[in-house]
Amino acid sequence: MPVADTWMEPVERTPGCSKPDPILVADGVRRTFGGLTAVDVGHVEVQRGSITALIGPNGAGKTTFFNLLTGFDEPDEGTWTFDGASVAGIPAHKVARRGMVRTFQLTKSLARLSVLENMKLGATAQRGEGFFAALARPLWSAQEKDVTERADELLVRFKLDHMRGEFAGELSGGQRKLLEMARALMVQPQMVMLDEPMAGVNPALTQSLLEHVKALRDDGMTVLFVEHDMDVVHDISDWVVVMAEGKIIAEGTADDISTNSLVIDAYLGSHHDAPLTEAEVQAQLAEAEAAIAIEEGRADDV
Amino acid sequence: MDWRLIFDTALTQGFGPQAIVVALAAIGLNVQFGYAGLLNFGQVAFLAVGAYSIAMGVDTFGLNFWLCVFLALLSAVVLALLLGFPTLRLRTDYLAIVTIAAGEIIRLVLRAGSYRGTTGGAAGIQNFADDFFEINPFPRGSNGIGFVDYSSSDLWVMTVGWGLVAASCLMIFLLIRSPWGRVVKAIREDEDAVRSLGKNVYLYKMQALILGGVIGAVGGMIFAIDRQSIVPDSLGTQRTFFAYTALILGGSGRVGGPVVGAIVFTFLTAFTDTTLRELVENNILDKIPLLPSDLLVANEVGIAVQILVGLGLMALMIFRPQGIFGDKREVAISARR
């Protein structure tokens, strides 16, 4: 295995800690929706060539943070750099061209395009995508052949080659996730951002998806992914970043995180294991009695 | 009942200049709606720009006819830029609102009395296409094709018109099979996915809007040239929806769909219209027992045609939602989402 295995050891286990070779560095990123602060990230770095998991309870701001980093949403303030250059405030398609490609929580397969067309769309700098060049096939037919070959190779790798000519809308949920990931690779990115890659996937496919994510790292790509399932996170991530209420509250390896009391509190509520006080018990009793009284009142009416 | 007259009229109309206008408007909508998923509800605005660029250019400003043709295409590009600039970054519904309003604004400005000197007001402008008919190679008088008769000027308009239809279809065929077409179709499916793959979605939507608008403007030019007359009230909102009807009837997202749809739609409308008129004139309805004697009178035929054609289209949508050329699997997929 490459260096990926050992870089974590000297890194501090604190939110916003610095990494030896970060590919993505974000500073002071804030996004508010009216009075709600959805994202308020002070500082975070993502190690190059690692698989980093972004976890947190529902509403922690993980997807919003993803949207900001990839140009799908605009922050109130904040800066971030990708591979040394600032990408803050750059439109989404240019972020993708810089080599940071994302997938979506709700899979966006292009239903009425064939699986192969879905793949070919991912290739960048296609001459035939220009309006006037498109009219003259000789200008782009050679490139189209290369793109098709590359698409076919990836389809074989993701075991979708038998669906090559089908509409993407006819794939199963898990196959769509695979297609979306394979399509992102057509962009030849340095970094892949996966928003809940396992959501809604048949458990039988989960293992194969995990293997594909690991393979991305082995090919030298950086992976940042949002996930709920701690087993999945444990299995594949080198590093885990935990968000709650828009902030980063913990960082570390999966083992560090699973014993971190702040993280447990964030998921289960800070007093989940504290005994109830006398006043709380009384309040709950009164509530229950009131509910019973209402029920009985209704029964009397009948 | 004169069946020969009924079929003559329907065929003459179905392949005549009016079918060409519907076809070109629908081809434009096919680029915008069928391929790129843009809801342009104001295609008639592009027709108006095409028609009035020629009419006003020649009649009001005394410009050369062929220069006006060029200006008409340029104006369509400008109109598309104006409509697309504020709306194409937003969801597709906003384009629908802006275009439907633009169509009405243009018609109302054209018929406004205060601009009568420039636009001709509600009476419109007549006799501006002499340069076009001067180079008509067909001999004067009536020319028969099979058992259908066309005047020599109609034949000339049809030759040029169907030529333009064929050229537009060829261009769209070439575009759609290319990587450009792939991006545009992908935008129809999900523009965020396309954005995430590094494509400038806004640019492609603008190109599709411009291309569809320019083809619509060509339809508008044929509309004005054919009659050598243009009045603003012939450019009502319904003209946009006739074009949509033709598009969906033929099969949206198919190169030949709007053309066949336009022919069938125009044929059926003319067929129903002539049949009903024949029925009324020969008092045939009165002879059928149980039917009320005042079921249909001559001045209600126009409305009855729209009702019957509308019913026919509803039946089509129920039994063949993909249109004549559409792919049933595609429609099933889009319904599932």
Side-chain angles (χ1 to χ4, degrees):
Chain A
M1 289 291 280
V3 267
D5 264 3
T6 52
W7 65 267
M8 300 85 90
E9 280 163 23
V11 173
E12 270 185 85
R13 267 62 170 165
T14 51
C17 58
S18 62
K19 313 286 187 308
D21 181 16
I23 189 169
L24 180 71
V25 181
D27 273 297
V29 180
R30 263 170 62 83
R31 174 70 166 107
T32 55
F33 296 102
L36 176 82
T37 304
V39 169
D40 187 5
V41 169
H43 182 83
V44 70
E45 298 182 2
V46 175
Q47 169 69 15
R48 190 188 303 272
S50 72
I51 298 182
T52 302
L54 182 61
I55 67 168
N58 285 328
K62 306 180 296 285
T63 296
T64 310
F65 190 44
F66 246 55
N67 288 345
L68 293 171
L69 291 178
T70 51
F72 278 83
D73 192 6
E74 284 173 28
D76 301 338
E77 54 189 80
T79 57
W80 57 98
T81 61
F82 175 71
D83 205 17
S86 172
V87 281
I90 285 178
H93 69 273
K94 287 190 179 159
V95 174
R97 284 182 202 168
R98 295 271 185 97
M100 182 157 79
V101 173
R102 69 168 299 178
T103 65
F104 295 86
Q105 188 174 349
L106 296 169
T107 322
K108 294 189 183 300
S109 60
L110 305 160
R112 283 181 290 168
L113 260 58
S114 75
V115 168
L116 182 66
E117 280 181 306
N118 262 270
M119 294 294 292
K120 290 201 279 190
L121 182 72
T124 46
Q126 296 189 51
R127 262 173 247 121
E129 285 180 356
F131 182 86
F132 293 105
L135 292 167
R137 189 173 205 163
L139 290 181
W140 47 264
S141 58
Q143 192 188 27
E144 180 81 354
K145 211 173 138 231
D146 293 344
V147 169
T148 311
E149 267 172 32
R150 206 148 62 76
D152 276 327
E153 280 166 24
L154 278 169
L155 284 177
V156 171
R157 173 169 154 194
F158 282 81
K159 298 196 176 61
L160 288 169
D161 45 324
H162 61 294
M163 302 297 280
R164 189 177 187 267
E166 303 292 324
F167 282 124
E170 291 178 356
L171 300 181
S172 72
Q175 286 174 323
R176 283 184 213 190
K177 288 276 183 197
L178 284 173
L179 175 61
E180 202 183 18
M181 205 184 290
R183 192 176 65 195
L185 295 189
M186 285 297 289
V187 185
Q188 298 182 307
Q190 295 182 62
M191 180 164 179
V192 184
M193 318 258 290
L194 307 170
D195 196 352
E196 302 212 14
M198 313 299 163
V201 174
N202 169 357
L205 254 175
T206 313
Q207 205 51 41
S208 122
L209 258 168
L210 289 181
E211 290 309 315
H212 286 302
V213 175
K214 284 186 197 167
L216 301 184
R217 178 187 56 194
D218 299 343
D219 289 349
M221 275 173 261
T222 309
V223 180
L224 178 65
F225 74 106
V226 169
E227 189 51 65
H228 277 301
D229 185 343
M230 277 309 286
D231 288 338
V232 169
V233 171
H234 241 276
D235 195 5
I236 62 167
S237 50
D238 304 317
W239 195 256
V240 181
V241 176
V242 189
M243 279 182 84
E245 292 171 359
K247 294 188 171 63
I248 290 179
I249 58 161
E251 284 194 47
T253 61
D255 287 331
D256 302 332
I257 293 302
S258 55
T259 55
N260 185 319
S261 63
L262 272 173
V263 176
I264 296 168
D265 286 351
Y267 268 91
L268 302 175
S270 52
H271 301 294
H272 63 92
D273 52 357
L276 294 176
T277 63
E278 184 62 24
E280 281 170 329
V281 171
Q282 291 302 330
Q284 284 187 358
L285 265 177
E287 232 174 77
E289 275 168 9
I292 291 167
I294 290 167
E295 281 297 312
E296 284 174 345
R298 273 198 206 131
D300 291 346
D301 290 344
V302 173
Chain B
M1 287 289 275
D2 187 349
W3 285 106
R4 161 131 199 184
L5 172 79
I6 292 172
F7 275 99
D8 265 12
T9 315
L11 276 175
T12 315
Q13 295 276 316
F15 292 94
Q18 291 315 300
I20 295 170
V21 175
V22 179
L24 285 167
I27 292 169
L29 288 177
N30 197 25
V31 176
Q32 295 163 343
F33 172 73
Y35 291 115
L38 300 174
L39 270 179
N40 170 12
F41 279 162
Q43 184 69 332
V44 72
F46 290 99
L47 268 75
V49 160
Y52 269 90
S53 293
I54 290 186
M56 279 164 50
V58 172
D59 189 74
T60 314
F61 301 107
L63 300 175
N64 176 281
F65 175 85
W66 303 105
L67 174 67
C68 293
V69 170
F70 173 74
L71 288 178
L73 300 177
L74 198 68
S75 312
V77 174
V78 172
L79 177 64
L81 288 171
L82 282 175
L83 294 175
F85 180 70
T87 55
L88 288 182
R89 285 182 206 279
L90 307 171
R91 283 203 327 260
T92 189
D93 340 18
Y94 292 93
L95 180 69
I97 297 166
V98 166
T99 47
I100 200 167
E104 279 298 274
I105 290 168
I106 288 183
R107 183 178 68 84
L108 292 171
V109 168
L110 288 173
R111 80 192 299 284
S114 20
Y115 306 124
R116 198 179 299 135
T118 318
T119 65
I125 302 174
Q126 282 74 35
N127 299 322
F128 41 78
D130 292 341
D131 285 4
F132 176 83
F133 291 105
E134 238 164 52
I135 54 168
N136 182 359
F138 294 104
R140 282 189 168 280
S142 200
N143 295 262
I145 306 176
F147 64 103
V148 187
D149 278 347
Y150 290 105
S151 72
S152 83
S153 58
D154 269 355
L155 265 186
W156 178 224
V157 172
M158 283 167 63
T159 310
V160 174
W162 286 119
L164 289 168
V165 168
S168 316
C169 285
L170 176 68
M171 183 174 179
I172 288 161
F173 168 76
L174 292 175
L175 282 172
I176 291 305
R177 69 165 186 179
S178 76
W180 185 88
R182 189 158 62 220
V183 177
V184 165
K185 281 193 286 179
I187 290 170
R188 172 190 72 193
E189 300 300 310
D190 192 318
E191 58 176 83
D192 277 344
V194 181
R195 215 170 266 135
S196 79
L197 296 170
K199 319 291 177 200
N200 186 351
V201 168
Y202 180 70
L203 180 76
Y204 286 96
K205 283 163 70 167
M206 189 63 95
Q207 287 175 347
L209 186 66
I210 291 174
L211 178 61
V214 166
I215 297 174
V218 173
M221 286 192 254
I222 299 287
F223 184 62
I225 290 168
D226 169 48
R227 300 174 176 185
Q228 279 257 46
S229 160
I230 187 73
V231 289
D233 287 341
S234 62
L235 296 165
T237 311
Q238 73 272 20
R239 204 159 279 282
T240 300
F241 293 103
F242 287 157
Y244 265 106
T245 307
L247 172 62
I248 292 164
L249 176 64
S252 171
R254 289 281 176 275
V255 173
V259 181
V260 174
I263 294 171
V264 173
F265 175 71
T266 318
F267 176 90
L268 283 181
T269 311
F271 182 85
T272 318
D273 185 87
T274 326
T275 310
L276 288 182
R277 279 183 205 290
E278 282 290 295
L279 286 174
V280 171
E281 270 169 37
N282 299 321
N283 301 316
I284 293 174
L285 288 176
D286 298 343
K287 292 168 195 153
I288 302 173
L290 297 177
L291 279 186
S293 59
D294 55 352
L295 182 70
L296 190 64
V297 293
N299 60 5
E300 291 169 355
V301 165
I303 299 164
V305 169
Q306 300 223 358
I307 292 171
L308 289 176
V309 172
L311 281 174
L313 291 168
M314 276 189 228
L316 179 92
M317 284 299 97
I318 292 166
F319 297 110
R320 199 175 166 82
Q322 70 272 36
I324 296 168
F325 279 147
D327 181 336
K328 195 158 198 169
R329 283 195 311 159
E330 262 191 48
V331 175
I333 284 171
S334 54
R336 225 186 288 158
R337 284 185 303 164

